[in-house]
Amino acid sequence: MAVRPAASLAPDFRPGPVLRVFGMRRSGNHAILDGFLRNAPGGNAVFLNNCKKAQDPLASHRSLELRRGGAPVRVTDELNDLGATLAQVGARPLTIVSVEDGMPGDRDLARPRPIWDSEEQVVVIYRGFLNWAASLLRKIKGNSRYGAMERARIMTNACRTYGRALDLVSRPGAVHPVLYDRWIASEGYRRDTLQALGLDTRDLGLGEVQRY
């Protein structure tokens, strides 16, 4: 089924700064993204979670979170009127588009194609390989639907994408890299990361464990 264009879903939505965030599962994505949301300029933010790569995030996101004045906003009628739902956070909110288990291609980075007519930055979240691989393997082992061959396939594909992430973060200026291991260990690193992205630094704590 074709994805509806963004204009038909929320024609009046005008985001402020946009962070297009890529990361692997089990890399601490949501802990870091929560830190971004808690430090949204003005406290207003839209978080489009687990969007499909290269598709309209308003149509392809798996879940939606809103912040107004720093406080969570209850999402009740997104399916009926997405535009009205997004309008609850006011004009020009920080907008985070999260893509899991995928990385931007070279063409996307060489010729940026903004999602909206707004300032956009590309962020790659990653984690040290041993902790990431152990966490992912434990996760898929706990799923009884996966046999040995399926687990091997998932790990092989995930390692390829992880390698792509390392390639991107090793290129100066290609993306904004955020290393989960340092994020949880250093308040200074959290401050520097937030400042580099143009976010506030009013809350440098680790926040609560996310429901994801």
Side-chain angles (χ1 to χ4, degrees):
M1 182 176 65
V3 175
R4 292 175 292 171
S8 68
L9 291 167
D12 297 324
F13 180 55
R14 298 292 183 272
V18 175
L19 300 181
R20 191 167 10 169
V21 183
F22 296 81
M24 303 294 299
R25 282 179 292 174
R26 317 308 293 176
S27 290
N29 299 1
H30 291 288
I32 293 171
L33 292 174
D34 179 67
F36 293 174
L37 291 169
R38 286 185 281 113
N39 288 283
N44 297 339
V46 171
F47 173 34
L48 299 159
N49 178 49
N50 201 2
C51 301
K52 293 182 180 179
K53 185 179 177 182
Q55 292 192 22
D56 171 18
L58 292 182
S60 69
H61 64 277
R62 294 286 298 275
S63 63
L64 173 68
E65 288 189 28
L66 306 177
R67 302 281 177 107
R68 183 176 58 210
V73 176
R74 186 179 179 187
V75 178
T76 57
D77 60 351
E78 175 193 351
L79 295 179
N80 295 324
D81 193 340
L82 179 59
T85 298
L86 296 174
Q88 296 179 85
V89 299
R92 299 292 181 180
L94 170 70
T95 301
I96 298 176
V97 175
S98 175
V99 177
E100 294 185 9
D101 288 339
M103 292 292 149
D106 287 337
R107 182 176 298 178
D108 294 325
L109 297 173
R111 296 182 178 180
R113 291 174 291 179
I115 299 171
W116 291 282
D117 185 19
S118 300
E119 178 186 353
E120 180 177 308
Q121 300 180 83
V122 177
V123 179
V124 169
I125 295 173
Y126 67 113
R127 185 179 183 182
F129 179 79
L130 293 180
N131 284 332
W132 166 77
S135 180
L136 179 59
L137 185 58
R138 180 178 180 183
K139 179 74 173 179
I140 63 177
K141 277 186 173 180
N143 192 326
S144 59
R145 295 178 302 169
Y146 297 150
M149 292 297 293
E150 182 66 7
R151 291 172 186 165
R153 184 192 67 80
I154 292 172
M155 288 299 298
T156 299
N157 289 339
C159 285
R160 289 196 189 101
T161 307
Y162 184 92
R164 170 64 177 166
L166 292 185
D167 175 59
L168 287 172
V169 303
S170 69
R171 301 186 204 172
V175 298
H176 289 273
V178 184
L179 177 58
Y180 174 72
D181 310 57
R182 294 188 64 190
W183 176 273
I184 62 170
S186 169
E187 180 177 295
Y189 182 79
R190 294 193 291 275
R191 178 187 298 107
D192 292 345
T193 299
L194 293 168
Q195 290 177 339
L197 293 171
L199 304 180
D200 292 343
T201 55
R202 60 180 175 271
D203 184 352
L204 296 176
L206 292 173
E208 299 179 358
V209 175
Q210 297 301 292
R211 62 184 174 86
Y212 302 100

